[in-house]
Amino acid sequence: MSFKNRGLAALSLLFLVHGSLAETSPTKNPQQNLAPSGRERVSINTGWRFLRSETNPDKVSYAERPGLPSTSGTEPLEPWILPAGNDFIKDPTKRHQRPAGNPKTDVVFTQKSFDDKAWETVDLPHDWAIKGPFYTGNNVPVSGGMGRLPIHGVGWYRRKITLVSEDEGKLIYLDIDGAMSYAMVWLNGNLVGGWPHPYNSFRLDLTPYLVLGDSNQLAIRLENPTESSRWYPGGGIYRNVWLTKINPVHVDQWGTYITSKEVSTQSATIDTSIQVKNKANVSSQVEVVTDVHIFDSRVGRVGQRVASFPSVTLNILGGEVQTLNGSVKIENPRLWGPPPIQRPNLYVAITRLRSRNKTMDTYETQFGIRSVIYSADQGLLVNGEHVRIQGVNQHHDLGALGAAFNVRAAERQLEVLQELGCNAIRMSHNPPAPELLELTDQMGFLVINEVFDMWQLQKTTADYHLLFSDWYEPDLRAFLRRDRNHPSVLAWSFGNEVGEQTTGESGAVLARRLHEIVREEDPTRHTTASMNAAEPNMPFPQALDIVSLNYQGEGFRDTPAYSNLPGRKTKPLYADFHKAFPEKMILSSETAATVSTRGTYIFPVTQDISAPVNDTSGGNSTLLHVSAYELYTANFGSSPDKVFAAQDKNPYVAGEFVWSGWDYLGEPTPYYSARSSYFGIIDLAGFKKDRFYLYQSRWRPDLKMAHILPHWTWPNRVGQTTPVHVFSAASEAELFLNGKSQGTKKKEGPSYRFRWDDVKYQPGELHVVTYKNNGVWAEDTVRSAGKAAKLEMQADRTVINADGNDLSFVTVKIVDDNEITVPQASNVITFSVSGAGEIIATDNGDPTDFTAFPSKERKAFNGLALAIIRSKAQKSGFINVMATAEGLKAVQVNLTSA
């Protein structure tokens, strides 16, 4: 009897569960939970064998596609992969029939007998490209757009899976949270299936191919074409991978959908839709019970029960899926909303399937109770309160860690953004890691969740347009079902700057089709697609619930500084869209595209409030640096000052998502000879650019802060004009150079910074006093630095978890004898570590630094460098981190892993 048949005959076994909250809680390392509740979810992240080849080592290909190896002489595997999406195709007649048996292609890497001892041993999440080396110069396999790292090629992952006697009778699913890309999965030499989308999560049923014991060989093949992305995609199985062991009668994958209505602080009605699946060949009777509890996200703990849905008994036939709907009222609900004016309170619904007094399945769904109104005139209202969207765009990479997801690294990014005053994230331009949305739920960020960067019209030769026609429906529905219970998700975006926005009615037809799918899966949220070219008189925006504008709101190439540039010129279009669509909320899904290099200042400084970067305007194409006066932009961009003015002139606009929050790998505009972007408010290492304080003065107007730029160490500029700018929420400011007033400035009209553009440099001290509400608001001082003398070190966290995943980010500064940061210091720093931790990466935020990220030697960039320390699994104790540099006093810091 096969494993599957034995399993379906044993329906009354008691199984183990690892509930969905505990499985992926960002505060915990994903580990097996042994609560006896009918479901077991086991991390299989460790102990993989890995091989990467820049050429095709196996004569396998998904299909005949540009950028992929030719399938000539071999059998394309696409017919075996397409059926994996069938559960997400609504029309049964459009689902795919799997060919009988295995393909004729014999792949030695999938066989149990293959010896993989010579392969590299890796743990997941894993990014095969991030260790480098970087490609430099021209005519390289991977250019600046994709980060100059070796993302391309074929990767194989192999691992044994052990099934014990307690697993008999279970269904065994493989759940992959993300794999880059064209994933294909074999078990014991049998092609199970796959999923080509590089960012979507997916599930495959391993049950028919499993045997009891430790001889089950899992093999996963990935392939990254060159020219498949416009940014750094990473490579490999870069998110978590799980085995889910479950009864044949169970809550289906992403099978709960929870919504709230009639929401107030006095009461709220909660509706549930629960899909129960029976994969056995016999019918079953089950009782379905769902309880609602308070959920404490800080510790990942289920709290007090506050409501129970009426229990229902289902008679479910073999092979059937039934949907159960229910409703319950919660008194005095704790509402979910964004800080600081609201709190991100969470609940958890625990659904149990019971038969013959035994729990057959337990499924946990984290959710929040909130109301959202998308107002054309007022903007966004959450729980009846106006919330201005102060958002940023974020790519999926984590800087020096690459695409390999790490909860702490993502949490750190969000913490710094929250300090900025940011309250919203646009996921650019792909589904995020599941744990990232758990973090946004817990921390109270609003999210625009986005799934496609292109549709049928390509942006690069080997991008998703090759898959769109076959996969857009399963990809879109899977994305929606996975994420629709997250209260942080504000709206769904099904496109970013797609070519179809200007193709007239044909593009609008496709947009309406995608809109319909979204509303079928989630009628409670609005849809959108970001437009950088569609205008109000075109049919494309008619298909959207929300008007999302990329750069068009503030206009681009529309001022004298940009007048000589080629390309489309657009006046500010907020008012035009508002007039054309008076019933639709408008937001800017991308604004600014300001570029700068942290701590770098280039003279002279433009007198304009916004200017394109070039060699005579804020740029240096030899050093590949851009001035950090935060006035310079990509050719299509605008400075923050110009963006703020446009928004203040049109107060009905719901807010903005700045391009971008953090620098990211790839897309290094304006210098494609570099490795990483210049767009971030925060650099790739996590160091704040001056622009951070400009946005903070806007987004946190009650924060008593003042920030002077530039630094004041210019030995070669004595007597030369060196403009001084100050960012603050104050209304008036007076600047002093060595105690002498340089004059008082007021913010008048559309002004968002204080400027003293005629200051002549003299070494010493700059001091600013700012005023607001008839009193002193905040002060700041910068001083000229002396010769570099020593290192200073600070860890963002001195106690980390001994789980092999937790991180401490350690910053090193080069300072003089008076502990003033030496702002242009570039000494080589050597990092070392001993004890219960290890250095996994270093960085400095310089987009031109091609030192491999795992290197323990790193030049400081403008006085700063970073080391990322990871705990060792199951090894507690002290971690000693030391930094040395020739001629400077060394420094160390002690961490604790517990």
Side-chain angles (χ1 to χ4, degrees):
M1 182 182 289
S2 73
F3 180 87
K4 181 177 182 181
N5 291 334
R6 291 198 308 269
L8 298 183
L11 297 182
S12 62
L13 290 177
L14 180 63
F15 304 133
L16 304 177
V17 70
H18 186 187
S20 60
L21 289 173
E23 294 156 6
T24 58
S25 172
T27 60
K28 297 183 177 359
N29 181 37
Q31 296 290 340
Q32 183 175 343
N33 181 343
L34 299 180
S37 306
R39 176 182 292 242
E40 181 181 3
R41 198 176 192 222
V42 183
S43 169
I44 55 170
N45 280 346
T46 59
W48 290 82
R49 295 286 189 172
F50 169 70
L51 172 74
R52 172 183 172 255
S53 174
E54 293 192 11
T55 59
N56 190 325
D58 48 43
K59 298 182 180 178
V60 170
S61 189
Y62 174 81
E64 194 77 48
R65 294 282 193 273
L68 293 178
S70 173
T71 58
S72 176
T74 65
E75 189 171 16
L77 302 187
E78 183 180 35
W80 282 264
I81 307 302
L82 285 169
N86 280 346
D87 284 348
F88 304 97
I89 297 175
K90 184 177 180 180
D91 184 348
T93 66
K94 295 182 179 179
R95 294 172 186 163
H96 304 279
Q97 183 67 39
R98 179 186 169 105
N102 274 317
K104 297 176 183 177
T105 303
D106 183 22
V107 187
V108 66
F109 299 150
T110 71
Q111 303 301 319
K112 296 181 183 180
S113 59
F114 178 74
D115 185 356
D116 58 17
K117 292 179 181 177
W119 290 17
E120 184 181 356
T121 299
V122 301
D123 293 337
L124 310 180
H126 175 240
D127 178 354
W128 79 48
I130 194 60
K131 65 182 180 182
F134 284 98
Y135 296 109
T136 59
N138 301 317
N139 301 317
V140 293
V142 181
S143 62
M146 295 178 73
R148 296 186 169 272
L149 285 163
I151 58 89
H152 57 299
V154 173
W156 278 94
Y157 293 82
R158 284 169 50 94
R159 188 191 194 274
K160 287 285 183 17
I161 298 175
T162 300
L163 274 295
V164 295
S165 58
E166 289 80 6
D167 295 322
E168 191 167 7
K170 300 177 184 178
L171 298 172
I172 312 297
Y173 289 111
L174 176 69
D175 290 328
I176 297 179
D177 288 343
M180 186 71 61
S181 53
Y182 287 94
M184 305 181 198
V185 177
W186 285 260
L187 185 66
N188 296 330
N190 299 288
L191 179 58
V192 180
W195 202 285
H197 193 292
Y199 297 97
N200 247 345
S201 301
F202 63 95
R203 163 175 285 184
L204 298 173
D205 187 0
L206 302 182
T207 314
Y209 312 104
L210 284 162
V211 295
L212 289 179
D214 61 1
S215 60
N216 291 282
Q217 181 62 61
L218 183 63
I220 302 176
R221 183 190 192 272
L222 306 177
E223 183 157 6
N224 269 8
T226 56
E227 302 303 322
S228 61
S229 177
R230 299 186 298 115
W231 55 82
Y232 174 77
I237 305 177
Y238 65 101
R239 292 179 183 164
N240 291 312
V241 177
W242 314 85
L243 287 183
T244 298
K245 305 177 182 183
I246 199 169
N247 195 293
V249 180
H250 58 273
V251 176
D252 202 2
Q253 181 190 21
W254 308 319
T256 59
Y257 176 40
I258 300 178
T259 58
S260 50
K261 63 186 179 184
E262 301 167 358
V263 174
S264 72
T265 55
Q266 288 75 45
S267 67
T269 299
I270 309 303
D271 294 331
T272 61
S273 177
I274 302 170
Q275 283 193 336
V276 179
K277 176 178 281 189
N278 183 0
K279 287 203 72 174
N281 51 19
V282 295
S283 62
S284 183
Q285 184 179 85
V286 294
E287 181 188 21
V288 183
V289 178
T290 300
D291 297 321
V292 178
H293 297 254
I294 293 170
F295 181 68
D296 187 342
S297 62
R298 295 170 299 174
V299 295
R301 182 179 301 155
V302 175
Q304 175 187 358
R305 184 177 66 182
V306 296
S308 295
F309 288 85
S311 64
V312 176
T313 299
L314 292 181
N315 291 299
I316 184 166
L317 301 176
E320 187 180 23
V321 177
Q322 286 194 28
T323 300
L324 174 66
N325 297 316
S327 185
V328 70
K329 181 174 287 188
I330 295 179
E331 303 296 335
N332 303 312
R334 302 181 180 188
L335 303 185
W336 185 97
I341 60 174
Q342 301 186 40
R343 292 176 58 86
N345 298 301
L346 293 171
Y347 290 86
V348 57
I350 302 177
T351 300
R352 295 180 176 88
L353 308 186
R354 294 183 57 82
S355 179
R356 300 177 184 177
N357 296 320
K358 293 182 178 179
T359 299
M360 302 179 70
D361 190 19
T362 300
Y363 194 90
E364 300 184 5
T365 307
Q366 183 177 308
F367 69 100
I369 300 173
R370 85 284 192 276
S371 68
V372 175
I373 295 175
Y374 310 83
S375 170
D377 295 318
Q378 296 176 274
L380 184 71
L381 289 88
V382 180
N383 302 320
E385 294 185 276
H386 176 256
V387 176
R388 183 165 184 80
I389 295 172
Q390 299 175 170
V392 299
N393 287 269
Q394 287 285 96
H395 269 300
H396 76 301
D397 76 74
L398 295 169
L401 301 178
F405 187 79
N406 179 278
V407 169
R408 173 55 199 160
E411 182 181 48
R412 173 186 178 240
Q413 288 194 341
L414 294 177
E415 286 173 350
V416 179
L417 289 171
Q418 215 158 44
E419 180 188 353
L420 172 69
C422 173
N423 65 6
I425 308 293
R426 177 172 173 242
M427 302 296 178
S428 311
H429 303 285
N430 40 258
E435 295 87 351
L436 182 54
L437 288 180
E438 291 187 6
L439 285 169
T440 57
D441 287 348
Q442 293 172 16
M443 299 175 73
F445 283 89
L446 300 165
V447 169
I448 299 289
N449 211 2
E450 192 159 76
V451 63
F452 300 131
D453 186 47
M454 73 293 298
W455 298 345
Q456 293 173 328
L457 300 179
Q458 73 177 59
K459 293 182 178 178
T460 59
T461 56
D463 65 21
Y464 184 77
H465 82 280
L466 301 172
L467 295 164
F468 183 84
S469 295
D470 287 331
W471 282 93
Y472 76 86
E473 183 181 0
D475 274 326
L476 181 54
R477 291 190 191 273
F479 158 76
L480 295 164
R481 291 179 197 175
R482 191 196 73 170
D483 293 348
R484 62 188 177 181
N485 290 313
H486 288 282
S488 57
V489 174
L490 164 69
W492 305 109
S493 173
F494 50 73
N496 171 65
E497 298 182 355
V498 296
E500 286 84 351
Q501 63 184 303
T502 58
T503 58
E505 185 58 28
S506 63
V509 167
L510 187 48
R512 285 193 290 271
R513 168 62 179 147
L514 297 172
H515 166 85
E516 290 166 0
I517 292 174
V518 174
R519 297 311 293 268
E520 286 172 4
E521 297 289 339
D522 179 21
T524 71
R525 293 179 177 90
H526 279 196
T527 71
T528 193
S530 295
M531 299 175 288
N532 68 329
E535 297 181 356
N537 60 346
M538 296 179 178
F540 188 89
Q542 298 174 17
L544 313 174
D545 294 328
I546 298 172
V547 173
S548 292
L549 303 179
N550 284 7
Y551 312 108
Q552 294 192 94
E554 61 265 28
F556 51 86
R557 302 188 187 97
D558 64 318
T559 60
Y562 298 80
S563 61
N564 63 328
L565 298 176
R568 178 169 164 256
K569 295 176 173 59
T570 300
K571 70 173 184 176
L573 288 178
Y574 285 136
D576 296 65
F577 274 97
H578 189 52
K579 181 178 179 180
F581 301 101
E583 76 288 358
K584 294 186 179 185
M585 188 177 84
I586 297 175
L587 60 81
S588 270
S589 42
E590 290 181 27
T591 62
T594 306
V595 288
S596 61
T597 307
R598 175 191 51 81
T600 298
Y601 308 93
I602 298 173
F603 304 97
V605 176
T606 181
Q607 296 295 308
D608 293 313
I609 67 164
S610 183
V613 64
N614 54 56
D615 274 357
T616 61
S617 176
N620 186 320
S621 59
T622 301
L623 296 177
L624 309 182
H625 288 166
V626 180
S627 179
Y629 274 90
E630 312 300 8
L631 294 166
Y632 302 99
T633 77
N635 286 351
F636 56 86
S638 299
S639 71
D641 312 59
K642 182 171 182 274
V643 174
F644 297 161
Q647 292 174 355
D648 286 347
K649 189 176 180 180
N650 301 278
Y652 49 82
V653 176
E656 67 173 314
F657 291 87
V658 179
W659 192 270
S660 60
W662 285 56
D663 277 339
Y664 53 93
L665 290 166
E667 208 170 33
T669 307
Y671 303 123
Y672 270 67
S673 298
R675 67 173 196 193
S676 53
S677 80
Y678 298 73
F679 291 115
I681 298 170
I682 302 149
D683 76 16
L684 197 72
F687 301 137
K688 299 165 185 173
K689 299 182 183 179
D690 293 285
R691 205 180 331 149
F692 182 96
Y693 302 97
L694 179 54
Y695 279 100
Q696 192 178 62
S697 70
R698 168 81 167 182
W699 288 352
R700 298 180 64 185
D702 296 329
L703 179 66
K704 293 187 175 182
M705 175 276 297
H707 175 78
I708 296 173
L709 68 128
H711 63 76
W712 208 241
T713 305
W714 301 102
N716 297 323
R717 294 191 61 80
V718 175
Q720 295 185 43
T721 299
T722 306
V724 177
H725 293 189
V726 171
F727 301 147
S728 176
S731 56
E732 187 174 350
E734 185 173 10
L735 181 71
F736 299 87
L737 173 56
N738 295 328
K740 182 178 180 180
S741 177
Q742 303 298 297
T744 298
K745 303 289 184 180
K746 293 183 178 181
K747 288 181 181 175
E748 297 175 336
S751 177
Y752 304 94
R753 65 174 76 196
F754 300 103
R755 298 179 64 150
W756 291 263
D757 286 330
D758 298 321
V759 176
K760 300 293 191 295
Y761 177 76
Q762 295 293 332
E765 178 185 278
L766 274 179
H767 181 72
V768 70
V769 181
T770 65
Y771 300 89
K772 189 176 183 179
N773 300 328
N774 299 316
V776 173
W777 180 254
E779 302 180 40
D780 190 29
T781 302
V782 295
R783 297 180 177 88
S784 302
K787 183 180 178 181
K790 56 184 177 180
L791 304 176
E792 286 186 351
M793 180 182 287
Q794 184 175 12
D796 72 330
R797 296 157 76 235
T798 57
V799 179
I800 60 177
N801 294 321
D803 58 9
N805 293 310
D806 205 4
L807 305 175
S808 180
F809 292 81
V810 178
T811 298
V812 171
K813 293 182 181 179
I814 298 176
V815 300
D816 67 7
D817 284 326
N818 296 314
E819 299 186 348
I820 299 171
T821 301
V822 182
Q824 295 174 322
S826 58
N827 306 62
V828 175
I829 299 172
T830 300
F831 293 94
S832 60
V833 66
S834 60
E838 57 187 341
I839 299 171
I840 58 169
T842 61
D843 195 11
N844 56 18
D846 179 4
T848 71
D849 187 346
F850 293 109
T851 305
F853 287 123
S855 174
K856 295 176 176 58
E857 287 190 351
R858 179 72 53 180
K859 288 180 66 175
F861 179 64
N862 288 336
L864 300 178
L866 177 78
I868 305 174
I869 312 301
R870 182 173 62 195
S871 64
K872 292 181 179 178
Q874 299 178 343
K875 186 174 181 180
S876 59
F878 289 111
I879 304 170
N880 177 263
V881 184
M882 178 172 285
T884 60
E886 186 176 354
L888 303 181
K889 185 179 178 180
V891 67
Q892 63 181 359
V893 65
N894 286 318
L895 315 176
T896 301
S897 177

